[in-house]
Amino acid sequence: MIEKEKLDKTYKELLEEKIINHLAEVKGILIRQAMDIYYKSKLAQQINDGSYGIENMDYRYLVQDLMENEPGLFL
């Protein structure tokens, strides 16, 4: 049986991958740039912490939220 912690970690890693790929696609930037933006964001910390159940939201919504609420990351 897979331990819940390992399953949660894997799920979060896959979510982060989807967020980064979608961010790169939407903004027309390189994956590396999208990674830098994502890992500097409050969103990354919230997902890591499991705050507000945010890790259960759709990655497309989370990318939109990131662009709207953290525009300073895109300068």
Side-chain angles (χ1 to χ4, degrees), residues 15-39 59-60 62-64 66-67 74:
L15 177 61
E16 289 179 326
E17 183 179 328
K18 288 179 183 179
I19 289 169
I20 291 165
N21 285 322
H22 190 63
L23 180 60
E25 181 181 320
V26 169
K27 295 300 278 183
I29 58 177
L30 299 172
I31 295 288
R32 184 72 185 142
Q33 291 171 303
M35 286 177 66
D36 288 343
I37 291 167
Y38 172 72
Y39 286 113
Y59 69 92
R60 292 170 290 237
L62 294 172
V63 167
Q64 186 66 35
L66 173 64
M67 292 187 303
F74 299 93

Side-chain angles (χ1 to χ4, degrees), residues 1 4 8 11-12 14 17 25 29 40-41 44-45 49 53 55-56 58 60 63 67 69 73 75:
M1 182 183 237
K4 184 178 180 336
D8 287 346
Y11 177 79
K12 286 179 183 180
L14 291 172
E17 183 179 328
E25 181 181 320
I29 58 177
K40 290 178 184 174
S41 72
Q45 189 61 49
D49 294 345
E55 71 276 6
N56 297 313
D58 183 75
R60 292 170 290 237
V63 167
M67 292 187 303
N69 293 306
L73 294 173
L75 299 177

